[in-house]
Amino acid sequence: IRMASSGLPSSSERGLAMLYDDQSIGTSAFIEGARYNQAVAEELQRSIASLDIVTAARVHLAIPQKSAFIRNRSEANASVVVSLARGRSLSESQIAGIVYLVASSVSDLDPENVTLIDQRGRLLSGQGGSEEMQMSNEQLRYAHQIENSLTERVVRMLAPLYGEDNVRVQVTAAIDHTAEERTVEQYGQQEPVLRSEQISEDTSNEAQAAGVPGALVPTPPNAGQEGELGGAQQAGNTSRRSTRNYEVDRTISHIKAAGGQIQRLSVAVVLNYKAQEVDAPPPVPGEEAPEAAEATMEMLPVTPEEIAQVEQIVREAVGIDAGRGDSVSISSAQFQTFVPELPEEPAFLDSLSDFAGAGKMALGFIALMALIFGVLRPMLRSLVSASAQAVIANAQPRYVNPEGQAYDAQGRPLALPEGGQYPPQVGGPNGVAGSSMPRQSYDQQLGRARAMVQEDPERVAGVLKDWVAADA
């Protein structure tokens, strides 16, 4: 709780929050730009690491300084390192998404200049080389998806009938990846429709000129002709005009055909022979018939009727179109069953050779145990007993060393009295008065031993050497 109240632990990736930190007055423009690029990189790291498949991410931006001269301008670059979850991998769409995420977050950064690798150092972006090669790989992957999907359909239909191990299906799809875009304008697809009609009629009652053409003096017509001309002159001139406008249909079609259309399908199916009961052959004339003729099982090919039924099932399952040249081939063949050869039973001598290695290991183990319990164990016992006896012998209280230095019960050195005489309970250098020494406890002995080590380490080392030499 105290750490949380103090803001600990704090993440090192602050992102754009670092821009709000106090800056000194003398901060240069280069430092400000570098801090901004670092803030953008940390924000991208957070965004990429938020994906389920990514556990951690690192982003490095190489953004050049802008120049007023075109020849001195260089492109921005970015590198991304992702740590993927165990057993997971990025798909092509996810790789493209990460690349475009980084390219869209940095100004003037082209997606081609973004490099993406994983924690194992494998290059993930730009694996296909050129753009044409990447498109070819994508087209090949699309064709394999279609073939696998159609193959799975046929297997699901035939497996319940013949068994999954008795059916082999192969589908080959020819895919047309040509993208076509065209505009079609058509007329007269339907009957014309009258849109408008205009009728004009002119009638004139004026008399028209009469007489013989070319004559200087008009000759009066005959009586009979006069009546006719008079009637015609009275009738006048009449003209009639009619204008009709028809609406002709017009169809404009904008067709954009995407690639990936199935151009042709070829399906091949092989069925295994079926086990069928076959009656026993009739007895040969002149020989005795067997008492009970039992039917035997034999592997026989699939009948043509069943092959025709299977072909119809495959056509409907795959969607065969005879108009585009699709074909289906159904055949029956006996599958080869590979039976592993059983190993021959080894002879007795051969079996002994197989256990030779195990026997050597057993003998080595027995020899090792004999060495441990027969040699090492008695030696350890003697060393332990000798060391214990030496410790017991040397653990007797000694209050005065050979140099005449006296110690108390706690192992502290005692100062000699003014008269130069030791206390009555403490023996002198020759140990005359040491016969009445009291029995010491373990702590007292340990304290005295520590004091002797501090006072005279060389002598203590010599005593230990003597013990080791005596035990040896």
Side-chain angles (χ1 to χ4, degrees):
I1 297 175
R2 293 180 179 178
M3 294 176 62
S5 61
S6 301
L8 298 175
S10 60
S11 176
S12 60
E13 297 181 359
R14 294 180 295 170
L16 296 177
M18 68 169 57
L19 300 179
Y20 297 98
D21 295 343
D22 295 335
Q23 300 183 13
S24 60
I25 299 177
T27 303
S28 62
F30 176 78
I31 298 299
E32 293 180 354
R35 294 184 63 179
Y36 175 75
N37 295 337
Q38 180 64 22
V40 174
E42 292 182 359
E43 290 292 340
L44 289 173
Q45 290 174 184
R46 291 181 179 179
S47 300
I48 298 174
S50 63
L51 302 177
D52 295 338
I53 196 173
V54 179
T55 58
R58 291 278 295 172
V59 179
H60 304 276
L61 300 179
I63 303 176
Q65 294 182 356
K66 295 183 179 180
S67 176
F69 300 97
I70 298 178
R71 67 179 64 181
N72 295 333
R73 293 180 181 177
S74 57
E75 298 180 349
N77 295 274
S79 302
V80 182
V81 182
V82 293
S83 298
L84 304 179
R86 184 180 299 273
R88 305 290 296 275
S89 61
L90 291 173
S91 62
E92 294 292 337
S93 59
Q94 292 173 333
I95 292 174
I98 295 176
V99 169
Y100 279 94
L101 171 65
V102 177
S104 302
S105 302
V106 180
S107 60
D108 301 332
L109 179 58
D110 194 87
E112 297 180 356
N113 297 333
V114 179
T115 303
L116 178 64
I117 62 175
D118 61 0
Q119 72 270 23
R120 298 182 180 178
R122 296 179 299 181
L123 181 64
L124 302 180
S125 61
Q127 294 181 349
S130 61
E131 184 178 356
E132 292 78 9
M133 184 61 66
Q134 293 180 3
M135 185 176 297
S136 300
N137 294 337
E138 189 66 27
Q139 292 174 358
L140 182 61
R141 189 180 299 105
Y142 177 72
H144 287 169
Q145 289 178 356
I146 293 179
E147 293 174 354
N148 295 335
S149 177
L150 296 178
T151 302
E152 187 178 356
R153 291 184 187 178
V154 177
V155 171
R156 283 203 305 263
M157 296 294 293
L158 300 180
L161 301 178
Y162 299 94
E164 189 173 356
D165 296 335
N166 297 324
V167 177
R168 296 293 182 270
V169 181
Q170 182 64 44
V171 178
T172 303
I175 307 299
D176 184 12
H177 296 282
T178 304
E180 182 182 3
E181 185 176 357
R182 64 180 184 272
T183 302
V184 180
E185 186 173 356
Q186 297 177 346
Y187 296 91
Q189 298 295 323
Q190 299 178 0
E191 294 294 333
V193 179
L194 180 62
R195 184 179 65 177
S196 62
E197 181 179 8
Q198 183 179 1
I199 301 176
S200 176
E201 183 178 357
D202 297 334
T203 304
S204 177
N205 295 329
E206 296 180 357
Q208 298 181 355
V212 180
L216 298 176
V217 179
T219 302
N222 297 328
Q225 296 177 353
E226 182 178 1
E228 295 177 359
L229 293 173
Q233 292 176 356
Q234 292 178 0
N237 187 16
T238 302
S239 63
R240 183 183 179 91
R241 295 187 300 274
S242 178
T243 303
R244 291 184 176 88
N245 296 325
Y246 291 91
E247 189 69 29
V248 180
D249 64 307
R250 177 189 178 190
T251 304
I252 300 177
S253 302
H254 184 72
I255 302 173
K256 185 177 181 180
Q261 302 295 328
I262 298 178
Q263 191 174 4
R264 187 174 180 273
L265 285 178
S266 299
V267 183
V269 180
V270 180
L271 302 177
N272 190 14
Y273 279 10
K274 296 179 63 177
Q276 299 180 2
E277 293 183 358
V278 179
D279 297 336
V284 180
E287 296 182 358
E288 296 181 358
E291 297 179 357
E294 297 181 356
T296 59
M297 301 296 294
E298 292 186 4
M299 300 297 294
L300 299 178
V302 182
T303 61
E305 292 78 8
E306 292 185 3
I307 291 178
Q309 295 178 359
V310 171
E311 181 177 357
Q312 185 65 26
I313 293 174
V314 173
R315 286 181 176 274
E316 296 297 332
V318 177
I320 296 297
D321 187 2
R324 63 188 180 191
D326 296 349
S327 61
V328 178
S329 175
I330 310 294
S331 60
S332 179
Q334 186 174 4
F335 293 176
Q336 297 294 333
T337 304
F338 297 95
V339 179
E341 297 181 359
L342 297 177
E344 299 180 358
E345 295 184 0
F348 179 73
L349 297 179
D350 296 336
S351 61
L352 292 180
S353 62
D354 295 337
F355 293 99
K360 292 179 180 179
M361 295 179 63
L363 291 176
F365 180 75
I366 294 173
L368 180 61
M369 292 293 104
L371 178 63
I372 292 175
F373 290 99
V375 179
L376 296 180
R377 188 175 181 182
M379 291 178 60
L380 292 175
R381 283 183 177 179
S382 61
L383 291 175
V384 170
S385 60
S387 300
Q389 293 175 1
V391 169
I392 294 172
N394 290 278
Q396 298 298 326
R398 298 177 183 176
Y399 288 87
V400 180
N401 57 13
E403 286 77 10
Q405 178 65 45
Y407 297 89
D408 60 1
Q410 285 75 25
R412 293 191 297 269
L414 296 175
L416 291 175
E418 296 180 358
Q421 299 294 330
Y422 292 101
Q425 72 273 12
V426 180
N430 297 325
V432 177
S435 59
S436 62
M437 292 186 298
R439 184 177 182 83
Q440 293 183 340
S441 63
Y442 174 76
D443 294 336
Q444 293 174 353
Q445 297 175 8
L446 183 61
R448 188 185 62 190
R450 290 177 178 175
M452 293 179 63
V453 171
Q454 293 178 359
E455 292 292 335
D456 195 356
E458 295 180 358
R459 184 182 179 189
V460 174
V463 172
L464 293 177
K465 290 181 181 179
D466 295 340
W467 288 354
V468 174
D471 295 337

